[in-house]
Amino acid sequence: MARRTKDIWNRDKDGNRKEQRSFIRYAIVATAVFLLFLFLKKDGIVNWVQAGMTLRRQNRQIEQYRQENEELDRRIRMMSGDRDTLERFAREQFFFAEPGDDVYIIE
């Protein structure tokens, strides 16, 4: 295989297959130039991959925030509709108490 690739660049061996070998040389050079531009250019494939990874990470974060918002909305609806739940939340989070209650804060 290595001998064949070496022979492709030797124009003395073209013989009657001159057009085919010329096209192969052209295709190899064009492919190499294309790959160089693809990987080294500012908006090349490396940046595309990085942008894709960033986009996936942001979509996961958006979904997480959406779920947190739904949970908070559910808690708001529950507390606005049920007085006992609201009182329990106020006691646990803000240490509210009714007159005559003893409050012990343990951290």
Side-chain angles (χ1 to χ4, degrees), residues 28-50:
I28 290 171
V29 170
T31 302
V33 169
F34 175 74
L35 289 175
L36 279 173
F37 275 113
L38 193 63
F39 283 102
L40 298 179
K41 199 173 169 193
K42 186 176 181 179
D43 59 341
I45 194 155
V46 174
N47 288 338
W48 292 349
V49 170
Q50 288 175 345

Side-chain angles (χ1 to χ4, degrees), residues 58-102:
Q58 289 175 346
N59 283 335
R60 284 193 303 264
Q61 194 173 20
I62 287 170
E63 185 58 35
Q64 178 185 357
Y65 290 151
R66 186 175 291 131
Q67 289 174 357
E68 288 176 13
N69 284 342
E70 288 174 2
E71 175 63 23
L72 291 173
D73 287 341
R74 185 189 64 77
R75 288 181 69 186
I76 289 171
R77 283 191 306 273
M78 193 170 73
M79 286 183 205
S80 64
D82 186 17
R83 181 181 169 106
D84 293 333
T85 306
L86 182 60
E87 284 182 12
R88 185 173 356 120
F89 178 77
R91 288 173 188 257
E92 291 172 359
Q93 296 297 319
F94 302 111
F95 308 113
F96 281 20
E98 290 183 350
D101 284 349
D102 294 329

Side-chain angles (χ1 to χ4, degrees), residues 5 8-9 21-34:
T5 56
I8 206 94
W9 302 108
R21 292 172 60 95
S22 173
F23 177 74
I24 291 173
R25 284 191 290 266
Y26 172 76
I28 290 171
V29 170
T31 302
V33 169
F34 175 74

